[in-house]
Amino acid sequence: MNQLSGPVPSSLGNMTDLEYLYLRENQLASSIPGFLGNLMNLVVLQLDTNQFTDFIPDNLCRGGSLQNLTMAGNNLTGFIPGSMRNCTSLLRVRLQENQLTGNISDSFGVYPNLDFMDLSFNKFHGEILVNWGSCRRLRDLRIAGNNITGSLPSEIGNATELQGLDLSSNGLIGEIPKELRKLTSLVRLNLSRNQLSGSINPEIASLSGLQRLDLSRNRLNSSIPESIGQLADLFHLDLSNNRLSQEIPGQIRMLTHLSELDLNNNSLIGEIPAQFSSLQSLLKLDLSHNNLSGPIYAIFEDMPGLATVDISYNEFQGPVPIAPS
């Protein structure tokens, strides 16, 4: 966190007892030097938020001690080196916001102690394989903004310690596997901006600690399951830009912590449930571009916290409710 510039000096390669090397948030440039692989005792290597280019050196995990590897926010290109696939000591890996490429199916192995992995906003392709389900201690997996295709494997349900899963902005297809119900520790689930289809499984209620759920911009159909009202800790729910139909379930009233609800651009019908007035924490509501009808209930008058409401492009009738003072 200084203004250091230029390349990493080669003399660092002689510090063979070095365990912790923090060079993050500077203006270091050139390529990441291969002599860092000589640091056989290296446990933590943080090079993020610099101006590094070219490839990740092939020998970084040569000593078998590397636990924390952070290279996010650079201009790295090329493939993940084979040494990282077998680096079973890894606990935390941050490679997001680079231009790394390669087939994600072949690039990563099984890491028995892995806690956190962020590969978001690179150029990885391929399919998500069963390996991630074998990382039993994994608590946060982020692979957003890549070119991942294929279906979401059911084995992901074996990573039962997961608290955060973000696979948004890829090309995933098929249905959301029912095995996700086993991820009972999930707090954040983001599968938005894919091509997922099928219905939302009512067993989503088993994710009782979920706080953020974003399934927007997919091809999900059928109705919003009533069981979604059992997610008592949910404060952000985005199901917009799908093909959901039927009525909005009244059980949504049970989401008393909900602050953002976005259901726009679906094919929902019926009236706004009168129970919406129970959503006293709601700040943002978007029901636009549906087939909702009936009167615009005065329920909005009982929701003083609302900051943004969009109910345009429906078939409502009656006077506009008076905004609360």
Side-chain angles (χ1 to χ4, degrees), residues 193 196 200 215-222 224 237-246 248 261-269 284-292 310-314 316:
R193 296 177 183 272
L196 298 169
I200 301 173
L215 303 178
S216 63
R217 296 186 181 275
N218 280 287
R219 300 174 180 177
L220 300 172
N221 54 42
S222 192
I224 300 172
L237 176 60
D238 192 344
L239 304 178
S240 63
N241 291 277
N242 279 287
R243 300 171 181 176
L244 299 170
S245 58
Q246 308 302 317
I248 301 173
L261 176 60
D262 195 342
L263 303 178
N264 85 78
N265 243 321
N266 281 288
S267 299
L268 299 171
I269 62 173
K284 177 184 177 182
L285 175 65
D286 192 344
L287 302 177
S288 64
H289 296 87
N290 279 285
N291 298 313
L292 298 168
D310 190 345
I311 54 175
S312 59
Y313 296 97
N314 281 286
F316 294 120

Side-chain angles (χ1 to χ4, degrees), residues 96-97 104 117-124 128 141-148 165-170 190 192 194:
Q96 72 270 23
E97 297 178 12
I104 200 168
M117 174 78 83
D118 194 343
L119 308 174
S120 301
F121 305 107
N122 280 285
K123 297 180 179 179
F124 293 115
I128 296 176
L141 177 61
R142 306 178 188 181
I143 318 181
N146 282 280
N147 300 308
I148 309 302
L165 179 60
D166 187 351
L167 305 177
S168 60
S169 299
N170 282 290
N190 190 347
S192 66
N194 282 285

Side-chain angles (χ1 to χ4, degrees), residues 60-133:
L60 278 183
C61 195
R62 185 174 158 199
S65 302
L66 192 61
Q67 297 181 9
N68 187 323
L69 176 62
T70 302
M71 297 181 172
N74 284 286
N75 293 300
L76 299 173
T77 59
F79 302 100
I80 299 297
S83 59
M84 279 190 60
R85 180 179 176 86
N86 301 316
C87 190
T88 56
S89 57
L90 286 173
L91 299 179
R92 296 181 66 83
V93 179
R94 290 180 177 269
L95 300 177
Q96 72 270 23
E97 297 178 12
N98 282 286
Q99 300 180 52
L100 297 168
T101 59
N103 192 325
I104 200 168
S105 310
D106 304 325
S107 300
F108 299 94
V110 175
Y111 308 103
N113 299 309
L114 189 67
D115 175 82
F116 182 99
M117 174 78 83
D118 194 343
L119 308 174
S120 301
F121 305 107
N122 280 285
K123 297 180 179 179
F124 293 115
H125 63 274
E127 299 185 9
I128 296 176
L129 295 185
V130 301
N131 288 359
W132 299 112

Side-chain angles (χ1 to χ4, degrees), residues 168-180:
S168 60
S169 299
N170 282 290
L172 294 173
I173 61 173
E175 298 188 0
I176 301 173
K178 62 181 184 300
E179 286 79 7
L180 250 63

Side-chain angles (χ1 to χ4, degrees), residues 21-40:
L21 178 56
Y22 298 89
L23 301 176
R24 62 191 308 265
E25 295 190 44
N26 279 286
Q27 299 173 26
L28 298 170
S30 189
S31 58
I32 296 174
F35 58 72
L36 292 180
N38 297 332
L39 307 179
M40 303 289 284

